[in-house]
Amino acid sequence: YRKPAREFFEHLCQRFQVGPSSLLHVGDCRENDLEGALAHGCRALRLHHEPGVNHISSLREILAALAAPTESA
């Protein structure tokens, strides 16, 4: 399966035995990673150097992002 297909995110949830809202998907592509994950009920962060909703500029920011309220793209 390929992102942003529903089956891709379903497979991840099954593989890690979690529901979509417990899965955090981090990627660099707005459409495939951020919007794809959010469309399937997963949490998502985009690794990107410009500020924005659900954007981080470094993997070091993941823990702080997890503590923040969930926002949609």
Side-chain angles (χ1 to χ4, degrees), residues 17-48:
Q17 299 179 352
V18 297
S21 63
S22 296
L23 181 75
L24 172 64
H25 182 79
V26 179
D28 62 352
C29 179
R30 180 185 51 81
E31 182 180 349
N32 291 335
D33 294 311
L34 182 65
E35 293 175 2
L38 293 173
H40 299 295
C42 303
R43 293 191 69 182
L45 293 173
R46 181 177 179 205
L47 184 58
H48 197 268

Side-chain angles (χ1 to χ4, degrees):
Y1 306 107
R2 296 181 66 103
K3 302 173 286 183
R6 172 183 50 82
E7 294 87 359
F8 176 84
F9 295 98
E10 286 177 352
H11 175 78
L12 289 177
C13 289
Q14 290 173 355
R15 169 71 175 89
F16 295 107
Q17 299 179 352
V18 297
S21 63
S22 296
L23 181 75
L24 172 64
H25 182 79
V26 179
D28 62 352
C29 179
R30 180 185 51 81
E31 182 180 349
N32 291 335
D33 294 311
L34 182 65
E35 293 175 2
L38 293 173
H40 299 295
C42 303
R43 293 191 69 182
L45 293 173
R46 181 177 179 205
L47 184 58
H48 197 268
H49 297 291
E50 295 178 20
V53 174
N54 293 345
H55 286 190
I56 58 173
S57 60
S58 167
L59 293 176
R60 292 183 177 126
E61 298 175 33
I62 290 176
L63 292 178
L66 285 173
T70 303
E71 300 182 43
S72 60

